[in-house]
Amino acid sequence: MSENTTITVAYGDGIGPEIMSATLDIIKAAGAMIDIEVIEIGEKVYLKGIAEGIEPSSWQSLLKTKVFLKAPITTPQGGGFKSLNVATRKTLGLYANVRPCVSYHPYIETKHPVMDVVIMRENEEDLYAGIEYRQTDQVMQGLKLITSPGSEKIIRYAFEYARSNGRKKVTCFMKDNIMKITDGLFHKLYDKIGEEYPGIEKETWIVDIGAAKLATSPESFDVIVMENLYGDILSDVTAQMTGSVGLAGSANIGDKCAMFEAIHGSAPRRAGQNLANPSGLLLGAVMMLAHINQSEIASKVHNAWLKTLEDGVHTYDIYRDGISKKKVGTKQFSGAVIERLGKKPETLKTVNYKDFDVKTYPHYDYRNITPAKKELTGVDIFLHWREGSAKELGEKLKNISVEGLKLTGISNRGVKIWPGGLEETFCVDHWRCRFEGNAVTFDMIISQLEKFKNEGYDFIKTENLYTFDGEKGYSA
Ligand code: NAD
């Protein structure tokens, strides 16, 4: 029986096929024990009219092998196409996106010679739920969904990763001074889960100033855990700070499956010219080898790659006169890494992977958690309205409350404008009208909507107001 692990491989678009061939050549030469199933994804599949960019049959391979090495793809411009990356991460439950960003000073030019940061990005939630609406002529809405199981999983993964990889600190970036409920939950769970890891230093930053500090003093960070959108943006910034976005790999880890890729895209302008740097995908493949318990081969490849960088053999994106020795194309670069298999870097830090099993720690079972005492205390009714001023709307609406509900406030773009608003506040055609009461029922809310309908108001959405164990579950 073969000891090989079967993996699914997609060559992708743009520079994808070139960097995938280079990566596979290197890891095979290093002795990777893998069998490969190739699937087609990306542009060609989209253009066949498959909105997800992947053939239904390809899922069978992924569900069987559970390990996916994926080159970047091009998402065609225009509506109707769904992001394959988002779909794959969500369908396979790949909740943790691990993006190590390391400086290779003095061999690769960077403003930050001391830098070894792992961006730990939540991978399934946040604005990437992709639930968006046009609500009025002027207003579009995207839902930011942050869940307790989703946040717990990524935060716990960050601490577990830190512990098993000898990392000292896990920092959390969020913005709970503004998003008190969503980012507030992420922060609270970080504090709570962090208590279980006394040996690891903890630190929180509001994401804006945290990002500024990261951009100027990356040496003060180690592992940084954050929600999906912040992680998407900041991992590109952090990778670029090391010298090139082409240098960073990424692991997408779930309980059952995992996907490995470069963090960059398909760079279509560089495609087919033997120019692209395969390093990002190669380092993704190295993490894959550690994941499938071939850590010795992972270390062998990574160290040969470091030696190649040290020897000044560089692709165009990292080539600098005076620092680099030889400018090479994709194929020559992979050849240079293959020649150095078995060698170790002389000054850069040698890498020594351990096999790591990401499935060994339990999550809370949220299905068994006692539900909070939930009480309905009112409703926000959103109107599409442009017939007058905030004051006029307030005066009209206060007279149409049903029994048991009282209009307590109207806001526009989150600013309270009735009662007592200012004329100066700029208003759009989207009004949030809050009705509150005691012992509120669904029937009262339905009667209130009936009243709006009869008075000719265009209500575009409602949001029920609940307390959970007495604590307000909505913003003030
Ligand atoms: P990109 O990452 O493809 O390119 C950004 C810049 O970095 C370009 O100047 C490019 O030449 C350079 N670059 C990227 N990778 C490189 C490498 N390996 N070697 C040398 N230079 C490299 O980002 P983009 O131009 O915004 O996107 C191009 C396409 O990629 C789009 O269709 C986008 O949707 C897609 N994309 C795919 C993924 C993915 O599949 N995971 C991720 C991001 C973007």
Side-chain angles (χ1 to χ4, degrees):
M1 205 175 79
S2 146
E3 287 177 11
N4 285 3
T5 302
T6 307
I7 64 166
T8 303
V9 164
Y11 281 79
D13 301 315
I15 58 170
E18 295 161 80
I19 59 172
M20 181 59 83
S21 299
T23 296
L24 292 176
D25 286 350
I26 297 169
I27 64 172
K28 280 185 196 159
M33 292 171 293
I34 50 170
D35 291 325
I36 289 171
E37 282 186 13
V38 176
I39 60 168
E40 201 173 316
I41 55 165
E43 210 171 13
K44 279 199 213 110
V45 184
Y46 281 119
L47 298 178
K48 271 191 206 165
I50 298 173
E52 292 75 22
I54 175 166
E55 305 262 9
S57 58
S58 299
W59 288 113
Q60 297 313 318
S61 172
L62 292 171
L63 292 171
K64 189 178 72 192
T65 68
K66 302 188 184 343
V67 182
F68 187 17
L69 181 62
K70 175 185 155 293
I73 58 154
T74 304
T75 314
Q77 297 286 319
F81 302 110
K82 292 189 184 155
S83 163
L84 170 67
N85 295 319
V86 175
T88 314
R89 289 166 189 163
K90 289 206 263 196
T91 307
L92 302 178
L94 310 178
Y95 62 85
N97 192 332
V98 186
R99 299 184 156 194
C101 300
V102 182
S103 283
Y104 305 99
H105 176 78
Y107 305 102
I108 309 258
E109 190 178 63
T110 164
K111 293 194 175 79
H112 303 285
V114 185
M115 176 169 171
D116 183 359
V117 179
V118 180
I119 304 289
M120 196 62 78
R121 165 186 172 192
E122 196 288 317
N123 219 12
E124 298 179 280
E125 309 196 330
D126 197 353
L127 286 155
Y128 293 70
I131 306 176
E132 294 188 307
Y133 302 98
R134 177 169 180 173
Q135 296 187 319
T136 68
D137 290 316
Q138 298 169 346
V139 176
M140 320 293 145
Q141 183 199 47
L143 282 188
K144 167 165 169 147
L145 290 178
I146 301 293
T147 73
S148 31
S151 305
E152 186 235 327
K153 285 202 279 187
I154 184 65
I155 292 164
R156 190 169 289 283
Y157 187 84
F159 280 107
E160 287 292 329
Y161 177 94
R163 186 152 71 180
S164 57
N165 288 280
R167 299 268 174 176
K168 304 271 176 304
K169 179 159 88 172
V170 175
T171 304
C172 177
F173 280 5
M174 34 65 216
K175 194 155 177 78
D176 61 342
N177 55 335
I178 302 296
M179 285 159 278
K180 296 180 172 36
I181 296 184
T182 48
D183 285 26
L185 171 70
F186 199 81
H187 189 165
K188 248 191 267 168
L189 286 171
Y190 168 82
D191 288 343
K192 183 171 159 219
I193 293 163
E195 284 174 13
E196 296 172 35
Y197 298 86
I200 294 174
E201 194 189 330
K202 287 157 278 273
E203 170 190 65
T204 54
W205 287 92
I206 299 292
V207 60
D208 40 12
I209 190 64
K213 190 170 161 61
L214 174 64
T216 47
S217 344
E219 67 281 0
S220 10
F221 293 96
D222 195 344
V223 176
I224 316 178
V225 63
M226 54 190 109
E227 290 166 11
N228 204 341
L229 180 63
Y230 308 145
D232 190 0
I233 298 168
L234 290 181
S235 58
D236 270 33
V237 173
T238 316
Q240 188 74 36
M241 281 161 58
T242 68
S244 167
V245 73
L247 286 172
S250 135
N252 299 264
I253 306 286
D255 283 332
K256 299 200 175 89
C257 302
M259 172 169 86
F260 302 86
E261 55 185 344
I263 79 158
H264 59 75
S266 59
R269 280 186 307 132
R270 308 289 181 192
Q273 299 158 59
N274 188 35
L275 279 175
N277 186 347
S279 300
L281 186 60
L282 182 66
L283 293 187
V286 162
M287 287 193 271
M288 176 193 78
L289 291 170
H291 177 75
I292 59 174
N293 301 327
Q294 299 187 22
S295 55
E296 254 179 55
I297 298 159
S299 307
K300 187 172 170 186
V301 172
H302 199 141
N303 287 323
W305 175 77
L306 288 169
K307 179 81 174 100
T308 311
L309 296 188
E310 267 188 0
D311 289 347
V313 182
H314 294 167
T315 43
Y316 84 92
D317 56 317
I318 51 174
Y319 184 89
R320 295 289 177 278
D321 283 333
I323 299 179
S324 310
K325 302 240 165 60
K326 195 171 170 194
K327 194 191 260 182
V328 291
T330 316
K331 278 195 194 127
Q332 293 70 25
F333 185 82
S334 61
V337 178
I338 291 169
E339 272 169 28
R340 288 165 179 77
L341 286 167
K343 293 198 175 146
K344 291 196 168 151
E346 277 150 40
T347 34
L348 291 172
K349 209 166 123 208
T350 302
V351 175
N352 194 5
Y353 285 90
K354 289 180 290 173
D355 292 343
F356 71 115
D357 182 357
V358 293
K359 303 165 211 87
T360 48
Y361 62 92
H363 309 308
Y364 296 129
D365 189 347
Y366 279 85
R367 287 164 307 182
N368 293 337
I369 280 184
T370 321
K373 185 162 180 280
K374 188 174 163 194
E375 272 179 279
L376 186 60
T377 61
V379 63
D380 280 349
I381 300 176
F382 290 76
L383 295 185
H384 181 181
W385 188 79
R386 50 176 189 168
E387 272 86 54
S389 68
K391 198 164 162 208
E392 282 161 353
L393 184 63
E395 293 311 310
K396 281 174 196 248
L397 293 188
K398 82 176 180 203
N399 298 321
I400 66 161
S401 302
V402 296
E403 202 173 327
L405 283 179
K406 183 168 178 256
L407 179 69
T408 55
I410 302 177
S411 65
N412 194 292
R413 293 195 303 167
V415 182
K416 189 163 181 186
I417 42 84
W418 184 91
L422 296 176
E423 297 260 316
E424 286 76 6
T425 306
F426 177 71
C427 291
V428 293
D429 58 358
H430 183 267
W431 309 80
R432 182 180 73 168
C433 312
R434 175 160 293 180
F435 291 85
E436 290 174 281
N438 290 320
V440 176
T441 62
F442 287 147
D443 284 337
M444 286 155 75
I445 294 175
I446 292 165
S447 310
Q448 187 63 62
L449 289 175
E450 190 81 35
K451 210 117 196 196
F452 270 91
K453 185 190 85 178
N454 294 339
E455 298 281 332
Y457 287 102
D458 179 3
F459 54 88
I460 47 176
K461 141 185 163 128
T462 65
E463 200 76 61
N464 289 348
L465 307 178
Y466 291 102
T467 57
F468 291 79
D469 291 335
E471 200 177 304
K472 279 184 181 173
Y474 46 93
S475 45

